[in-house]
Amino acid sequence: MEDFSLIGMTSIITAGLTIAIGSIAPAIGEGRAVAQALMAIAQQPDEAGTITRTLFVGLAMVESTAIYCFVVSMILIFANPFWDYTVSQAGD
Amino acid sequence: MTISPDNIVLWSWGPVSLNGTLLYSWIVMLLLVGGSWLITHRLSSSTDISRWQNLLEVLIIGMRDQIQEISRQKPGRYLPFVGTLFLFIGTSNLFTIVPGFMPATGSLSTTTALAICVFLAVPLYGITYEGPLHYLKHYIRPTILMLPFNIIGEISRTVALAVRLYGNIMSGTVIVAILISLTPFFFPIVMQLLGLLTGMIQAYIFAILAMVYIASATSAHHQEANGPPEDELATSNETQERS
């Protein structure tokens, strides 16, 4: 029972912290990128297509870091190996 | 609440089981193939075209222009692969608004399969159009010291490709499922609209990134507009000869 509660607690808390802290930096980065892209489009409306496309590619790159955090938190909650192990041990 | 359509087992017979992912991806494939066949076996070159042919022409020309702009090469070689990626992912994500339909792209197995396709397509295109030596030289650029990092980058970008699509689509469906259980009618619809937007952007990004990776492997040494040898593809677009 000790193991259960401890592992569950740490997993959930860590998952929340992971997605919370891990999405700060990508959010700032994406915001800056969008702001710069808007400025560039405002200065050169003819190049809007190229700027937008490059912006999307860059945003996808930046976003992947946040997605890694998201995946780690998902694994912690839904597919936690330690949790599964303790459950299987308790089942015996 | 099901996280991915993998867990919906509709029909199982011995070792063979049909899960939701398979079913929905086959539905999308049948729609795309059947629809395209229906439209394209009655094409007309006059000005009086059906609206469906018009839709297909808009799609194809748009994709060709995008590929042309990214790769700075003739788009005909890459259009089948990249266009299929875009159409499949886009259609899957578009049908999230149909009740009972779960997008096949919301399961990690589908997205991994697509990402592995891209991972294999990059060296195939690179070796075909540049020769193996030129292609392998990409890995020791700028110096030989960068070789392990280039290999790691190749693998990690594939993982990122798979996980990005999966994470976006899955989170969209999960959020809608949670909201439906909490609040009634209105709010989930707003989130579904947002999910539609995200889905189309993700389809676009997936195809664009695939094209960028392929272009980086094929376009290193061709500074002139007349690139590597060309297959029998010549359309009279004025966008073709933009160098």
Side-chain angles (χ1 to χ4, degrees), chain B residues 48-124:
Chain B
D48 181 25
I49 57 174
S50 66
R51 62 182 66 181
W52 293 106
Q53 185 186 338
N54 204 346
L55 170 76
L56 277 199
E57 283 182 9
V58 167
L59 273 174
I60 296 290
I61 290 173
M63 290 193 292
R64 286 182 64 106
D65 285 351
Q66 292 282 343
I67 293 174
Q68 164 98 24
E69 281 182 25
I70 293 165
S71 66
R72 307 270 176 217
Q73 301 169 44
K74 294 255 168 46
R77 289 197 304 250
Y78 311 120
L79 181 69
F81 181 65
V82 180
T84 307
L85 281 179
F86 174 73
L87 283 181
F88 177 74
I89 300 171
T91 319
S92 293
N93 298 346
L94 194 64
F95 284 159
T96 49
I97 50 172
V98 177
F101 185 93
M102 288 188 73
T105 42
S107 102
L108 193 55
S109 36
T110 310
T111 56
T112 311
L114 294 172
I116 288 175
C117 287
V118 176
F119 179 76
L120 294 178
V122 171
L124 278 178

Coordinates of all heavy atoms in Angstrom, one line a residue, chain B residues 48-124:
Chain B
D48 N -15.5 23.5 -69.3 CA -16.7 23.1 -68.6 C -16.4 21.9 -67.8 O -16.6 20.7 -68.2 CB -17.8 22.8 -69.6 CG -19.1 22.4 -68.9 OD1 -19.2 22.8 -67.7 OD2 -19.9 21.7 -69.5
I49 N -15.8 22.1 -66.6 CA -15.4 21.0 -65.7 C -16.4 20.8 -64.5 O -17.0 21.8 -64.1 CB -14.0 21.1 -65.2 CG1 -13.8 22.4 -64.4 CG2 -13.0 21.1 -66.4 CD1 -12.5 22.5 -63.8
S50 N -16.4 19.6 -64.0 CA -17.3 19.4 -62.8 C -16.6 20.1 -61.6 O -15.4 20.3 -61.6 CB -17.5 17.9 -62.6 OG -16.2 17.4 -62.2
R51 N -17.4 20.3 -60.6 CA -16.9 21.0 -59.4 C -15.9 20.1 -58.7 O -15.0 20.6 -58.1 CB -18.0 21.4 -58.5 CG -18.8 20.3 -58.0 CD -20.0 20.8 -57.1 NE -20.9 21.5 -57.9 CZ -22.0 22.1 -57.4 NH1 -22.2 22.0 -56.1 NH2 -22.9 22.8 -58.2
W52 N -16.1 18.8 -58.8 CA -15.2 17.9 -58.1 C -13.8 17.9 -58.8 O -12.8 17.9 -58.1 CB -15.7 16.4 -58.1 CG -17.0 16.3 -57.3 CD1 -18.2 16.2 -57.7 CD2 -17.0 16.4 -55.9 NE1 -19.1 16.2 -56.6 CE2 -18.4 16.3 -55.5 CE3 -16.0 16.5 -54.9 CZ2 -18.8 16.3 -54.2 CZ3 -16.4 16.5 -53.5 CH2 -17.8 16.4 -53.2
Q53 N -13.8 17.9 -60.1 CA -12.6 18.0 -60.8 C -11.9 19.3 -60.5 O -10.7 19.4 -60.3 CB -12.8 17.9 -62.3 CG -11.5 17.9 -63.1 CD -11.7 18.0 -64.6 OE1 -12.8 17.6 -65.1 NE2 -10.7 18.4 -65.3
N54 N -12.7 20.4 -60.3 CA -12.1 21.6 -59.9 C -11.5 21.6 -58.6 O -10.3 22.1 -58.4 CB -13.3 22.7 -59.9 CG -12.7 24.1 -60.1 OD1 -11.6 24.3 -60.0 ND2 -13.6 25.0 -60.3
L55 N -12.1 20.9 -57.6 CA -11.5 20.7 -56.3 C -10.2 20.0 -56.4 O -9.2 20.4 -55.8 CB -12.5 19.9 -55.4 CG -11.9 19.4 -54.1 CD1 -11.9 20.6 -53.1 CD2 -12.7 18.3 -53.5
L56 N -10.1 18.9 -57.1 CA -8.9 18.1 -57.3 C -7.8 19.0 -57.9 O -6.7 18.9 -57.5 CB -9.1 16.9 -58.1 CG -9.7 15.7 -57.4 CD1 -9.4 14.4 -58.2 CD2 -9.1 15.5 -56.0
E57 N -8.2 19.7 -58.9 CA -7.2 20.6 -59.6 C -6.6 21.6 -58.6 O -5.4 21.8 -58.6 CB -7.8 21.3 -60.8 CG -7.9 20.3 -62.0 CD -8.5 21.1 -63.2 OE1 -8.6 22.3 -63.1 OE2 -8.9 20.4 -64.2
V58 N -7.5 22.2 -57.8 CA -7.0 23.2 -56.9 C -6.0 22.6 -55.9 O -5.0 23.1 -55.6 CB -8.2 23.8 -56.1 CG1 -7.7 24.6 -54.9 CG2 -9.0 24.7 -57.0
L59 N -6.4 21.4 -55.4 CA -5.5 20.7 -54.4 C -4.2 20.4 -55.1 O -3.1 20.7 -54.5 CB -6.2 19.4 -54.0 CG -7.2 19.4 -52.8 CD1 -7.8 18.1 -52.6 CD2 -6.4 19.8 -51.6
I60 N -4.2 19.8 -56.2 CA -3.0 19.3 -56.9 C -2.1 20.5 -57.2 O -0.9 20.5 -56.9 CB -3.3 18.5 -58.2 CG1 -4.1 17.2 -57.8 CG2 -2.0 18.2 -58.9 CD1 -3.2 16.2 -57.1
I61 N -2.7 21.6 -57.8 CA -1.9 22.7 -58.1 C -1.3 23.4 -56.9 O -0.1 23.8 -56.9 CB -2.7 23.7 -59.0 CG1 -3.0 23.1 -60.4 CG2 -2.0 25.0 -59.2 CD1 -3.9 23.9 -61.2
G62 N -2.1 23.5 -55.9 CA -1.6 24.1 -54.6 C -0.4 23.3 -54.1 O 0.6 23.9 -53.7
M63 N -0.6 21.9 -54.0 CA 0.5 21.1 -53.5 C 1.8 21.3 -54.4 O 2.9 21.3 -53.9 CB 0.1 19.7 -53.4 CG -1.0 19.5 -52.3 SD -1.2 17.8 -51.9 CE -2.0 17.1 -53.3
R64 N 1.5 21.3 -55.7 CA 2.7 21.4 -56.6 C 3.4 22.7 -56.3 O 4.7 22.7 -56.3 CB 2.2 21.3 -58.0 CG 1.9 20.0 -58.5 CD 1.5 20.0 -59.9 NE 2.6 20.4 -60.7 CZ 3.3 19.5 -61.5 NH1 2.9 18.3 -61.5 NH2 4.3 19.9 -62.2
D65 N 2.7 23.8 -56.2 CA 3.3 25.1 -55.9 C 4.1 25.1 -54.6 O 5.3 25.6 -54.6 CB 2.3 26.2 -55.9 CG 1.8 26.5 -57.3 OD1 2.4 26.0 -58.2 OD2 0.8 27.3 -57.4
Q66 N 3.5 24.5 -53.6 CA 4.2 24.5 -52.3 C 5.5 23.7 -52.4 O 6.6 24.1 -52.0 CB 3.3 23.8 -51.2 CG 2.1 24.7 -50.9 CD 2.5 25.8 -49.9 OE1 3.6 25.8 -49.3 NE2 1.6 26.8 -49.9
I67 N 5.4 22.5 -53.1 CA 6.6 21.6 -53.2 C 7.7 22.3 -54.0 O 8.9 22.3 -53.6 CB 6.2 20.3 -53.8 CG1 5.3 19.5 -52.8 CG2 7.5 19.5 -54.1 CD1 4.8 18.3 -53.4
Q68 N 7.2 23.0 -55.1 CA 8.2 23.7 -55.9 C 8.9 24.8 -55.1 O 10.1 25.0 -55.2 CB 7.4 24.4 -57.0 CG 8.1 25.5 -57.8 CD 8.7 25.0 -59.1 OE1 8.2 24.0 -59.6 NE2 9.7 25.6 -59.5
E69 N 8.1 25.5 -54.3 CA 8.8 26.6 -53.5 C 9.7 26.1 -52.5 O 10.8 26.8 -52.2 CB 7.7 27.5 -52.9 CG 7.0 28.4 -53.8 CD 6.0 29.3 -53.1 OE1 6.2 29.5 -51.9 OE2 5.1 29.8 -53.7
I70 N 9.4 25.0 -51.9 CA 10.3 24.5 -50.8 C 11.5 23.9 -51.4 O 12.7 24.2 -51.0 CB 9.6 23.5 -49.9 CG1 8.5 24.1 -49.2 CG2 10.5 22.8 -49.0 CD1 7.5 23.2 -48.6
S71 N 11.4 23.0 -52.4 CA 12.5 22.2 -52.8 C 13.3 22.9 -53.9 O 14.4 22.5 -54.2 CB 12.0 20.9 -53.3 OG 11.3 21.0 -54.5
R72 N 12.7 23.9 -54.6 CA 13.4 24.6 -55.7 C 13.7 23.6 -56.8 O 14.7 23.7 -57.5 CB 14.7 25.3 -55.3 CG 14.5 26.2 -54.1 CD 14.2 27.6 -54.6 NE 14.0 28.5 -53.5 CZ 13.1 29.4 -53.5 NH1 12.3 29.6 -54.5 NH2 12.9 30.2 -52.4
Q73 N 12.9 22.5 -56.9 CA 13.1 21.6 -57.9 C 11.7 21.4 -58.6 O 10.7 21.9 -58.1 CB 13.6 20.2 -57.4 CG 15.0 20.4 -56.7 CD 15.3 19.1 -56.0 OE1 15.1 18.0 -56.5 NE2 15.8 19.2 -54.7
K74 N 11.7 20.5 -59.6 CA 10.5 20.2 -60.2 C 9.6 19.4 -59.3 O 10.1 18.4 -58.7 CB 10.7 19.5 -61.5 CG 11.4 20.3 -62.6 CD 10.4 20.7 -63.6 CE 10.9 21.8 -64.6 NZ 12.2 21.6 -65.1
P75 N 8.4 19.7 -59.1 CA 7.6 19.0 -58.0 C 7.1 17.6 -58.4 O 6.7 16.9 -57.5 CB 6.4 20.0 -57.8 CG 6.3 20.6 -59.1 CD 7.6 20.7 -59.7
G76 N 7.2 17.2 -59.6 CA 6.5 16.0 -60.0 C 7.0 14.7 -59.3 O 6.2 13.8 -59.0
R77 N 8.3 14.7 -58.9 CA 8.8 13.5 -58.3 C 8.3 13.4 -56.9 O 8.1 12.3 -56.4 CB 10.3 13.7 -58.2 CG 11.0 13.5 -59.5 CD 12.5 13.3 -59.2 NE 13.0 14.3 -58.3 CZ 13.9 15.2 -58.8 NH1 14.3 15.2 -60.0 NH2 14.4 16.1 -57.9
Y78 N 8.1 14.5 -56.2 CA 7.7 14.4 -54.8 C 6.3 14.4 -54.5 O 5.8 14.1 -53.4 CB 8.4 15.5 -54.0 CG 9.9 15.7 -54.3 CD1 10.4 16.8 -54.9 CD2 10.7 14.6 -54.1 CE1 11.7 16.9 -55.2 CE2 12.1 14.7 -54.4 CZ 12.6 15.8 -54.9 OH 13.9 15.9 -55.2
L79 N 5.5 14.9 -55.6 CA 4.1 15.0 -55.3 C 3.4 13.8 -54.9 O 2.5 13.9 -54.0 CB 3.4 15.6 -56.6 CG 1.9 15.8 -56.5 CD1 1.7 17.0 -55.6 CD2 1.4 16.1 -57.9
P80 N 3.6 12.6 -55.5 CA 2.9 11.4 -55.0 C 3.1 11.2 -53.5 O 2.1 11.0 -52.8 CB 3.5 10.3 -55.8 CG 4.0 10.9 -57.1 CD 4.4 12.3 -56.6
F81 N 4.3 11.2 -53.1 CA 4.6 10.8 -51.7 C 4.1 11.9 -50.7 O 3.2 11.6 -49.8 CB 6.1 10.6 -51.5 CG 6.5 10.3 -50.1 CD1 6.1 9.1 -49.6 CD2 7.2 11.1 -49.3 CE1 6.4 8.7 -48.3 CE2 7.6 10.8 -48.1 CZ 7.2 9.6 -47.5
V82 N 4.5 13.1 -50.9 CA 4.2 14.2 -50.0 C 2.7 14.5 -50.1 O 2.0 14.7 -49.0 CB 5.0 15.4 -50.3 CG1 4.7 16.6 -49.3 CG2 6.5 15.1 -50.2
G83 N 2.1 14.5 -51.3 CA 0.7 14.8 -51.4 C -0.1 13.7 -50.8 O -1.2 14.1 -50.1
T84 N 0.3 12.5 -50.9 CA -0.5 11.4 -50.2 C -0.5 11.6 -48.7 O -1.5 11.4 -48.0 CB 0.1 10.1 -50.6 OG1 0.1 10.0 -52.0 CG2 -0.8 9.0 -50.1
L85 N 0.7 11.9 -48.2 CA 0.8 12.2 -46.7 C -0.2 13.2 -46.3 O -1.0 13.1 -45.4 CB 2.2 12.6 -46.4 CG 3.3 11.6 -46.2 CD1 4.6 12.2 -45.9 CD2 3.0 10.6 -45.2
F86 N -0.1 14.4 -47.1 CA -1.0 15.5 -46.7 C -2.5 15.1 -46.8 O -3.2 15.4 -45.9 CB -0.7 16.7 -47.6 CG -1.6 17.8 -47.4 CD1 -1.5 18.6 -46.2 CD2 -2.6 18.1 -48.3 CE1 -2.4 19.6 -46.0 CE2 -3.5 19.2 -48.1 CZ -3.4 19.9 -47.0
L87 N -2.8 14.5 -47.9 CA -4.2 14.1 -48.1 C -4.7 13.2 -47.0 O -5.8 13.3 -46.5 CB -4.5 13.6 -49.5 CG -4.5 14.6 -50.6 CD1 -4.8 13.9 -51.9 CD2 -5.5 15.7 -50.3
F88 N -3.9 12.1 -46.7 CA -4.4 11.1 -45.7 C -4.5 11.7 -44.4 O -5.6 11.6 -43.7 CB -3.4 10.0 -45.7 CG -3.7 8.9 -44.7 CD1 -4.8 8.1 -44.9 CD2 -3.0 8.8 -43.5 CE1 -5.1 7.1 -44.0 CE2 -3.3 7.9 -42.6 CZ -4.4 7.0 -42.8
I89 N -3.5 12.5 -43.9 CA -3.6 13.0 -42.6 C -4.7 14.1 -42.5 O -5.5 14.1 -41.6 CB -2.2 13.6 -42.2 CG1 -1.2 12.6 -42.2 CG2 -2.3 14.3 -40.8 CD1 0.2 13.1 -42.0
G90 N -4.8 14.9 -43.6 CA -5.8 15.9 -43.6 C -7.2 15.4 -43.5 O -8.1 15.8 -42.8
T91 N -7.4 14.3 -44.3 CA -8.8 13.7 -44.3 C -9.1 13.1 -43.0 O -10.2 13.2 -42.5 CB -8.9 12.7 -45.5 OG1 -8.2 13.2 -46.6 CG2 -10.3 12.4 -45.8
S92 N -8.1 12.4 -42.4 CA -8.4 11.8 -41.1 C -8.7 12.8 -40.1 O -9.7 12.7 -39.3 CB -7.1 11.0 -40.6 OG -6.8 10.0 -41.5
N93 N -8.0 13.9 -40.1 CA -8.3 15.0 -39.1 C -9.5 15.7 -39.4 O -10.2 16.2 -38.5 CB -7.1 15.9 -39.0 CG -5.8 15.3 -38.6 OD1 -5.9 14.1 -38.1 ND2 -4.7 15.9 -38.8
L94 N -9.9 15.8 -40.7 CA -11.1 16.5 -41.0 C -12.4 15.8 -40.5 O -13.3 16.4 -40.1 CB -11.2 16.7 -42.5 CG -12.2 17.6 -43.1 CD1 -11.8 19.0 -42.7 CD2 -12.1 17.5 -44.6
F95 N -12.3 14.4 -40.5 CA -13.5 13.7 -40.1 C -13.7 13.5 -38.6 O -14.5 12.8 -38.2 CB -13.4 12.3 -40.8 CG -13.7 12.3 -42.2 CD1 -13.3 11.3 -43.1 CD2 -14.4 13.4 -42.8 CE1 -13.6 11.3 -44.4 CE2 -14.7 13.4 -44.1 CZ -14.3 12.4 -44.9
T96 N -12.9 14.3 -37.9 CA -13.1 14.2 -36.4 C -14.5 14.8 -36.1 O -15.0 14.5 -35.0 CB -12.0 15.0 -35.7 OG1 -11.9 16.3 -36.3 CG2 -10.7 14.3 -35.7
I97 N -15.0 15.6 -37.0 CA -16.3 16.2 -36.6 C -17.4 15.2 -36.9 O -18.6 15.4 -36.4 CB -16.6 17.5 -37.5 CG1 -16.3 17.2 -38.9 CG2 -15.7 18.6 -37.0 CD1 -16.7 18.3 -39.8
V98 N -17.2 14.1 -37.6 CA -18.2 13.1 -37.8 C -18.4 12.3 -36.5 O -17.4 11.9 -35.9 CB -17.8 12.2 -38.9 CG1 -18.9 11.1 -39.1 CG2 -17.7 12.9 -40.2
P99 N -19.6 12.3 -35.9 CA -19.8 11.6 -34.7 C -19.4 10.1 -34.8 O -19.8 9.4 -35.8 CB -21.3 11.7 -34.4 CG -21.7 12.8 -35.3 CD -20.8 12.9 -36.4
G100 N -18.7 9.6 -33.8 CA -18.3 8.2 -33.8 C -17.1 7.9 -34.6 O -16.5 6.8 -34.5
F101 N -16.6 8.9 -35.3 CA -15.3 8.6 -36.1 C -14.2 9.1 -35.2 O -14.2 10.2 -34.7 CB -15.3 9.4 -37.4 CG -14.1 9.2 -38.2 CD1 -14.2 8.2 -39.2 CD2 -13.0 9.9 -38.1 CE1 -13.1 8.0 -40.0 CE2 -11.9 9.6 -38.9 CZ -11.9 8.7 -39.8
M102 N -13.2 8.2 -34.9 CA -12.0 8.6 -34.3 C -10.9 8.7 -35.3 O -10.7 7.7 -36.1 CB -11.6 7.7 -33.1 CG -12.6 7.8 -32.0 SD -12.0 6.9 -30.6 CE -10.7 7.8 -30.0
P103 N -10.1 9.7 -35.3 CA -9.1 9.8 -36.4 C -8.0 8.8 -36.2 O -7.5 8.6 -35.1 CB -8.5 11.3 -36.2 CG -8.9 11.6 -34.8 CD -10.1 10.9 -34.5
A104 N -7.6 8.2 -37.3 CA -6.6 7.1 -37.2 C -5.3 7.8 -36.8 O -4.4 7.1 -36.2 CB -6.4 6.4 -38.5
T105 N -5.1 9.1 -37.1 CA -3.9 9.7 -36.7 C -3.7 10.0 -35.2 O -2.7 10.4 -34.8 CB -3.7 11.1 -37.5 OG1 -5.0 11.7 -37.5 CG2 -3.3 10.9 -38.9
G106 N -4.8 9.7 -34.5 CA -4.7 9.9 -33.1 C -4.2 8.7 -32.4 O -4.3 8.5 -31.1
S107 N -3.6 7.8 -33.1 CA -3.0 6.6 -32.5 C -1.5 6.6 -32.9 O -1.1 6.9 -34.0 CB -3.6 5.3 -32.9 OG -2.8 4.7 -33.9
L108 N -0.7 6.3 -31.9 CA 0.8 6.4 -32.1 C 1.2 5.4 -33.2 O 2.2 5.6 -33.8 CB 1.5 6.1 -30.8 CG 3.0 6.5 -30.7 CD1 3.2 7.9 -31.1 CD2 3.5 6.2 -29.4
S109 N 0.5 4.3 -33.4 CA 1.0 3.3 -34.4 C 0.9 3.9 -35.8 O 1.8 3.8 -36.6 CB 0.2 2.1 -34.3 OG -1.2 2.3 -34.0
T110 N -0.2 4.6 -36.1 CA -0.4 5.2 -37.4 C 0.7 6.3 -37.6 O 1.4 6.3 -38.7 CB -1.7 5.9 -37.5 OG1 -2.7 4.9 -37.2 CG2 -2.0 6.3 -39.0
T111 N 0.9 7.2 -36.7 CA 1.8 8.2 -36.9 C 3.3 7.7 -37.0 O 4.1 8.2 -37.8 CB 1.8 9.3 -35.7 OG1 2.0 8.6 -34.5 CG2 0.4 9.9 -35.7
T112 N 3.5 6.7 -36.2 CA 4.9 6.1 -36.3 C 5.1 5.5 -37.7 O 6.2 5.6 -38.3 CB 5.1 5.0 -35.3 OG1 4.7 5.5 -34.0 CG2 6.5 4.5 -35.2
A113 N 4.1 4.8 -38.2 CA 4.2 4.3 -39.6 C 4.5 5.4 -40.6 O 5.4 5.2 -41.4 CB 2.9 3.5 -39.9
L114 N 3.7 6.5 -40.5 CA 3.9 7.5 -41.4 C 5.3 8.1 -41.3 O 6.0 8.4 -42.3 CB 2.9 8.6 -41.2 CG 1.4 8.3 -41.5 CD1 0.5 9.3 -41.1 CD2 1.3 8.0 -43.0
A115 N 5.8 8.3 -40.0 CA 7.1 8.9 -39.8 C 8.2 7.9 -40.4 O 9.2 8.4 -40.9 CB 7.3 9.2 -38.3
I116 N 8.0 6.6 -40.2 CA 9.0 5.7 -40.7 C 9.0 5.8 -42.3 O 10.1 5.6 -42.9 CB 8.7 4.3 -40.2 CG1 9.0 4.2 -38.7 CG2 9.5 3.2 -41.0 CD1 8.7 2.9 -38.1
C117 N 7.8 6.0 -42.9 CA 7.8 6.1 -44.3 C 8.7 7.3 -44.7 O 9.5 7.2 -45.7 CB 6.4 6.4 -44.8 SG 5.3 5.0 -44.8
V118 N 8.6 8.4 -44.0 CA 9.4 9.6 -44.3 C 10.9 9.3 -44.1 O 11.7 9.6 -44.9 CB 9.0 10.8 -43.4 CG1 9.9 12.0 -43.7 CG2 7.6 11.2 -43.8
F119 N 11.1 8.6 -43.0 CA 12.5 8.3 -42.6 C 13.2 7.4 -43.7 O 14.4 7.6 -44.0 CB 12.5 7.5 -41.3 CG 13.8 7.0 -40.8 CD1 14.7 7.9 -40.2 CD2 14.2 5.7 -40.9 CE1 15.9 7.5 -39.7 CE2 15.4 5.3 -40.4 CZ 16.3 6.2 -39.9
L120 N 12.4 6.5 -44.3 CA 12.9 5.7 -45.4 C 13.0 6.5 -46.7 O 13.8 6.2 -47.6 CB 12.1 4.4 -45.6 CG 12.2 3.5 -44.4 CD1 11.3 2.3 -44.6 CD2 13.6 3.0 -44.2
A121 N 12.0 7.4 -46.9 CA 12.0 8.1 -48.2 C 13.1 9.0 -48.4 O 13.6 9.2 -49.5 CB 10.7 8.9 -48.3
V122 N 13.6 9.6 -47.3 CA 14.7 10.6 -47.4 C 16.0 10.0 -48.0 O 16.4 10.5 -49.1 CB 15.0 11.2 -46.0 CG1 16.3 12.1 -46.1 CG2 13.9 12.1 -45.6
P123 N 16.5 8.9 -47.5 CA 17.7 8.3 -48.2 C 17.4 7.7 -49.6 O 18.2 7.8 -50.5 CB 18.2 7.2 -47.3 CG 17.0 6.9 -46.4 CD 16.3 8.2 -46.2
L124 N 16.1 7.2 -49.8 CA 15.8 6.7 -51.1 C 15.9 7.8 -52.1 O 16.5 7.7 -53.2 CB 14.4 6.1 -51.1 CG 14.3 4.7 -50.5 CD1 12.8 4.2 -50.5 CD2 15.1 3.8 -51.4

